[in-house]
Amino acid sequence: MPDPRPRTFPAHLRPLRAERDTARPDTAASPPPAENVFPRVSGPRGPRLSLCGGDDGAARRRWRGGETVRMAGRACMLEGDPAERRGTDDAWVLREGTARVVGPNPRPVWFRHVLVRQPGDRGHALLATVDGQLQLLAEIGGRAGLPSLVAGQLTAAEGVLLSARPAGRSWREMFGPPAPRRMPPPDQARAIALLRVAAGVGDVLAALHDSGYSHRAVTPDAVLLPGASRSRPSVVARPVVLRDLGLAAVARLAGEGPAEYRAPEQERYGLPGPRIGPRTDVFRLAAMAYHGLAGVAPGRGGLPAPLRGCRLPFPVAQTLDEVLLRALDLDPNRRPARIRVLADAFRLGAHHLTRMSL
């Protein structure tokens, strides 16, 4: 008989089942539903503790910020309402958000939680995503700014991933954009800081690309700057950490990933044309940087205006402008093939601004 116990990570690893960016999508059959692993309980004292599990109540109830849930054997207090996506009739639920592990060793984490009530292709794909990312984090997590694995668990009905979330501020908190999407361009000091951070993001994504994967979901919320302070942006290069693996080890789908800075090929995947992959990360990072520098997001009808043609309170290096426009080309084949080219252009732009400020 199959072992009904949940698998935990990083123990008991096996080779990655998820396909790399250069391989075909996973086509394994859907697994049978599992028995209830964690029944819901509540104690007479202290805050209510909701345990993850396969019962209907756990799937239908929405999690709220401030409550404590149990994931992968850890008690976790939710920091804000998590983002939730649900299947028809709650056949599956995907929750993502930030929390803090409570207990003897408290620490902030980012989590992805999948609960499947009814077997099906979509529920299986979500569980396979957690499976692949757990194993990927166990292999390369914590290297060169990639998130590190705290805990994970996988059964045929539930998948949980907890990764470390360093203390600090996000790209959005440091450089925007807030709502509305239009914002004033930064001053020269903040522009230098943005370019140095963007170069660091490019380096982290390059490390992920070297492992055969692409993120494909880079947003201002997914980039963390440990120890950063918005009041006094540093012009010195600082460490950059990705909050999560994005869509690494996830099968490509049309309309995939966050809509913010989505690359054109992500919207029309499946039609004749280039594949989604590392050049998708080039576009998303370039769009974030352009928005932060120009104050407006690049348009979708064609190439945006060159930064040197915008009225900005700082000079722009010609090489940075040229590489940035290439990276924002709607055709991935015309973008730089390696994201390090974009990272080096960001560094050159920061160096140019630093020299101009002396």
Side-chain angles (χ1 to χ4, degrees):
M1 295 180 61
D3 186 354
R5 294 173 298 177
R7 289 194 298 118
T8 57
F9 292 80
H12 312 302
L13 289 178
R14 54 184 172 78
L16 278 174
R17 182 176 68 200
E19 302 293 339
R20 297 182 185 266
D21 281 333
T22 56
R24 62 178 178 83
D26 185 81
T27 56
S30 299
E35 295 180 357
N36 217 8
V37 179
F38 296 119
R40 181 190 295 276
V41 298
S42 59
R45 298 179 182 176
R48 180 179 180 83
L49 184 64
S50 301
L51 302 188
C52 308
D55 60 284
D56 286 354
R60 296 184 185 279
R61 188 184 60 81
R62 290 191 176 275
W63 291 3
R64 299 300 182 190
E67 71 175 299
T68 300
V69 300
R70 196 165 188 84
M71 295 185 286
R74 308 308 204 267
C76 303
M77 186 179 69
L78 303 179
E79 297 182 348
D81 296 348
E84 286 193 3
R85 283 181 283 170
R86 294 172 176 271
T88 304
D89 296 327
D90 292 326
W92 54 265
V93 58
L94 168 64
R95 301 177 174 109
E96 296 176 320
T98 58
R100 176 171 291 275
V101 174
V102 297
N105 299 305
R107 62 187 307 179
V109 294
W110 181 88
F111 69 86
R112 172 174 285 150
H113 172 244
V114 174
L115 193 60
V116 177
R117 293 177 57 246
Q118 301 173 19
D121 290 344
R122 179 57 174 159
H124 168 63
L126 291 172
L127 289 172
T129 294
V130 174
D131 187 11
Q133 291 203 345
L134 282 171
Q135 295 180 68
L136 181 57
L137 281 178
E139 284 189 358
I140 64 174
R143 302 181 191 174
L146 295 173
S148 59
L149 180 63
V150 172
Q153 187 167 289
L154 187 71
T155 72
E158 184 178 31
V160 180
L161 181 154
L162 302 178
S163 59
R165 181 167 53 89
R169 306 184 76 90
S170 69
W171 173 298
R172 192 182 304 279
E173 291 173 306
M174 288 288 292
F175 309 117
R181 291 176 62 84
R182 183 178 291 272
M183 58 186 180
D187 59 25
Q188 187 156 319
R190 197 171 295 278
I192 294 173
L194 184 150
L195 288 168
R196 292 195 181 279
V197 168
V201 178
D203 292 338
V204 176
L205 290 171
L208 186 61
H209 295 173
D210 290 344
S211 297
Y213 294 86
S214 53
H215 192 281
R216 295 148 45 207
V218 178
T219 68
D221 299 311
V223 176
L224 302 178
L225 313 173
S229 169
R230 177 171 173 77
S231 60
R232 299 183 64 183
S234 173
V235 297
V236 179
R238 63 168 61 256
V240 176
V241 178
L242 292 181
R243 181 194 62 184
D244 56 69
L245 289 176
L247 299 178
V250 179
R252 302 167 184 84
L253 295 170
E256 67 167 25
E260 190 175 26
Y261 307 123
R262 182 181 287 149
E265 63 271 20
Q266 293 183 288
E267 296 180 345
R268 60 174 185 263
Y269 179 71
L271 298 176
R275 289 170 59 93
I276 296 169
R279 294 178 198 236
T280 304
D281 288 341
V282 169
F283 181 93
R284 296 190 72 109
L285 178 57
M288 276 176 51
Y290 184 96
H291 194 176
L293 293 170
V296 294
R300 302 308 300 270
L303 286 178
L307 289 178
R308 287 173 298 158
C310 301
R311 299 181 62 182
L312 302 178
F314 52 86
V316 177
Q318 179 177 349
T319 300
L320 169 62
D321 216 6
E322 292 174 351
V323 173
L324 199 55
L325 291 182
R326 283 178 53 207
L328 290 170
D329 200 296
L330 301 182
D331 183 353
N333 286 328
R334 292 198 289 263
R335 298 177 204 150
R338 299 171 64 250
I339 201 166
R340 285 191 174 90
V341 173
L342 182 60
D344 289 344
F346 289 143
R347 266 186 283 271
L348 186 148
H351 179 68
H352 175 77
L353 277 179
T354 303
R355 289 182 57 191
M356 295 296 292
S357 64
L358 296 178

